[in-house]
Amino acid sequence: MNAKHERKSNKILLFFRILSIIVIIVCLIYIAHWYLENRKNANMINQIAESSIIDTVYIEISNEDDTETTQIPVYELDFEKLFEINRSTVGWIKVPNTTIDYPVAQSSDNSFYLTHSFDKSWNSAGWIFADYRNKFDGTDKNIIIYGHNRMDSSMFATLSNTQKSEWYNNPTNKYITFTTPEKTYVYEVFSVYTIKSETYYLSTDFANDNAYLEFLNTIKKRSIHDFGVTLFSFDSILTLSTCDATGKSRVILHAKQIM
């Protein structure tokens, strides 16, 4: 190799070394940013829980034939403490044997809390939020709550637990609580599945009772497990939604209100 070719090779090698260093630095900055934002949200939920959870009480749920009962833990909450941080708080969602245990906010769209924390500060980890179309006035047929699937198991990352046999075969896991300023609602899970991104399961308005019942039966049939729950056109339901690990599909849970 002559001197000219050697100098050219050295320049190319130097270029790729510099490029590699830049890539490594950018990756380290991204990882640090990701960690700090997750940590900020973790600290926030700890502080929120400490200030707003007054006590945990238990309510008794009977199965359909009244042969068995289940004790459901329910928070007594100081919503004024939550409102001091975010006036748009609509409730607190808790799913057993997951890390889903958060106050729920709501915005005028379904984008804001994808990139903002509970205190409305910028945070790519986002927060748990309700669909902007939900009214929370007792008329909602389908209350929809969203959250990111974070790699540190925060937000709605562990919603995927509900599609594992050890979760859905445990009868104590099937009751979800959603506490609002007015009361605590209990929901019984009737469907869990993963599906390509779509809007059908996010429907909130229905032409009539028959259309709604068709919707209920469709999302029930999608379930990977038969929970043995009967659905009626007068039922109100709760839908939890997050992305799967690929970001191309959605992990879904549906539950009907029983209290």
Side-chain angles (χ1 to χ4, degrees), residues 34-35 37-39 41-42 99 102 125 149-155 157-158:
W34 178 89
Y35 172 81
E37 293 201 324
N38 286 341
R39 192 64 199 161
N41 270 351
T99 60
Y102 292 96
N149 180 353
R150 300 292 289 178
M151 290 179 63
D152 66 340
S153 296
S154 65
M155 300 300 132
T158 55

Side-chain angles (χ1 to χ4, degrees), residues 28 32 87 104 108 126 151 182 188 203 253:
L28 289 174
R87 289 299 307 177
V104 180
S108 59
M151 290 179 63
E182 288 73 36
E188 183 177 4
S203 301
L253 178 148

Side-chain angles (χ1 to χ4, degrees), residues 110 114 129 144-149 156-157 159-163 191-202 219 222-224 239-254:
N110 285 340
L114 293 176
F129 65 97
I144 307 164
I145 300 178
Y146 307 90
H148 281 311
N149 180 353
F156 271 8
L159 187 61
S160 59
N161 287 5
T162 65
Q163 298 190 20
S191 183
V192 290
Y193 58 91
T194 298
I195 196 167
K196 293 294 183 181
S197 181
E198 61 160 45
T199 60
Y200 180 76
Y201 73 92
L202 302 175
I219 60 176
R222 291 177 172 183
S223 183
I224 62 171
T239 295
L240 307 185
S241 175
T242 191
C243 294
D244 71 349
T246 69
K248 297 178 180 179
S249 297
R250 301 292 180 265
V251 178
I252 313 299
L253 178 148
H254 299 290

Side-chain angles (χ1 to χ4, degrees), residues 26-74:
V26 170
C27 288
L28 289 174
I29 291 172
Y30 175 82
I31 291 170
H33 183 68
W34 178 89
Y35 172 81
L36 290 173
E37 293 201 324
N38 286 341
R39 192 64 199 161
K40 179 184 176 182
N41 270 351
N43 290 336
M44 182 172 296
I45 188 61
N46 289 337
Q47 293 169 6
I48 290 170
E50 185 176 344
S51 65
S52 60
I53 298 177
I54 302 170
D55 197 6
T56 300
V57 297
Y58 290 84
I59 57 176
E60 192 171 89
I61 303 293
S62 300
N63 63 0
E64 290 186 357
D65 57 7
D66 291 325
T67 58
E68 295 180 1
T69 60
T70 303
Q71 298 290 321
I72 307 297
V74 175

Side-chain angles (χ1 to χ4, degrees), residues 88-93 102-106 118 127-130 145 178:
S88 300
T89 305
V90 294
W92 192 296
I93 185 75
Y102 292 96
V104 180
Q106 187 181 38
F118 185 66
W127 198 261
I128 305 305
F129 65 97
I145 300 178
F178 183 60

